[in-house]
Amino acid sequence: MDEKQKILIVHNYYQIPGGEDAVVANEKKLLEDNGHDVILYSRNNSELKTMSKAQKLLLPFSTVFSLKTYRDVKSIVKEQHIDIVHVHNTLNLISPSVYYAAFSCKVPVVQTIHNFRLLCPGATFYRDGHICEDCVEHGLGCAVKHSCYRGSKLQALMCVITTKIHRVLGTYKKLNYICLTEFNEQKLLQLNRPGKKQIIDPGMVYIKPNFTFEVTSEIGRGGY
């Protein structure tokens, strides 16, 4: 990227700090060190602890599409003349509405794939002590059956509904993707089932491994 860009990084922090947070900080620093103008838009799932009962009741809907995110991001993109929106995590508070905010402004979106959540609501392909790809082979309903997100059928259902809706809408086909390894890329492209509607555009998937700077803070294990 020779030309200097104005980049909006978007990240939803989990309640427990993790590796994704370190990647966000490192990439922001690298881009800034190379002369790019970087703005960070973030939410933190610790906000869930202070939500009112009414806000929690609306959470299943805002997880699918957050009007707050849409308005916030669209405003930033327009006011700051953003060239690229780079998304890391959207669960739970940011939601895929961030993509539509960028689409409405005709700004390209890059999504870094840190885990397998687009195929597996539990994000790990691992359940009950063994590798599990049931959601790929038999459908996302398996995640609800086995309570694969935080041990909760209801929260797993929220993840499934969000993923299914945006698959049907074609949201994921409009994104550029950064995969960390060839294996990540191969798994992501399993979303494209033979004889069915294409969900991911293979021509918009790229491989870029993570990198490290000198460690400046202690990062714990990734959480929810």
Side-chain angles (χ1 to χ4, degrees):
M1 205 189 302
D2 295 327
E3 183 183 347
K4 303 308 178 186
Q5 303 283 319
K6 208 158 193 182
I7 302 161
L8 176 63
I9 291 179
V10 179
H11 184 51
N12 197 132
Y13 291 91
Y14 296 118
Q15 294 186 46
I16 302 172
E20 293 182 27
D21 305 340
V23 172
V24 170
N26 285 346
E27 292 203 345
K28 183 175 184 293
K29 183 179 186 303
L30 179 66
L31 289 165
E32 290 173 336
D33 287 350
N34 283 273
H36 301 290
D37 191 354
V38 183
I39 296 170
L40 174 65
Y41 177 80
S42 67
R43 301 285 300 277
N44 193 306
N45 284 343
S46 61
E47 295 175 37
L48 297 169
K49 298 176 182 177
T50 59
M51 281 186 173
S52 66
K53 289 183 179 179
Q55 287 175 316
K56 288 180 179 178
L57 285 173
L58 291 173
L59 191 59
F61 303 99
S62 61
T63 298
V64 176
F65 193 96
S66 166
L67 286 175
K68 173 176 172 52
T69 295
Y70 181 82
R71 291 167 181 156
D72 288 351
V73 171
K74 187 173 180 179
S75 176
I76 294 170
V77 170
K78 284 186 172 182
E79 291 175 7
Q80 299 296 327
H81 305 290
I82 297 296
D83 296 303
I84 300 170
V85 175
H86 186 175
V87 182
H88 287 268
N89 180 42
T90 64
L91 193 71
N92 285 307
L93 301 175
I94 286 179
S95 87
S97 61
V98 60
Y99 307 139
Y100 285 89
F103 297 159
S104 70
C105 299
K106 296 181 172 52
V107 172
V109 182
V110 177
Q111 170 68 61
T112 290
I113 300 298
H114 291 282
N115 53 47
F116 303 111
R117 200 174 306 278
L118 289 184
L119 300 99
C120 164
T124 61
F125 283 143
Y126 193 79
R127 175 178 62 81
D128 298 333
H130 62 85
I131 293 171
C132 173
E133 297 191 20
D134 286 357
C135 285
V136 177
E137 298 299 326
H138 307 295
L140 293 172
C142 297
V144 180
K145 177 182 177 181
H146 297 292
S147 305
C148 289
Y149 183 67
R150 301 193 71 184
S152 166
K153 290 186 187 299
L154 179 59
Q155 293 188 63
L157 179 62
M158 288 170 55
C159 290
V160 168
I161 290 172
T162 300
T163 304
K164 287 287 287 185
I165 286 175
H166 289 286
R167 284 184 184 182
V168 171
L169 291 175
T171 305
Y172 301 126
K173 193 174 180 180
K174 300 174 184 177
L175 308 179
N176 297 276
Y177 294 92
I178 290 176
C179 292
L180 308 181
T181 66
E182 290 184 3
F183 178 76
N184 290 135
E185 178 190 39
Q186 291 167 6
K187 299 312 269 185
L188 179 66
L189 291 177
Q190 283 186 339
L191 280 169
N192 294 335
R193 308 289 285 179
K196 294 189 177 182
K197 178 182 176 182
Q198 190 180 72
I199 296 174
I200 302 287
D201 183 346
M204 297 170 71
V205 180
Y206 308 91
I207 298 173
K208 182 184 77 66
N210 284 334
F211 60 93
T212 58
F213 281 120
E214 179 183 353
V215 177
T216 56
S217 63
E218 186 173 326
I219 300 297
R221 184 179 178 183
Y224 298 105

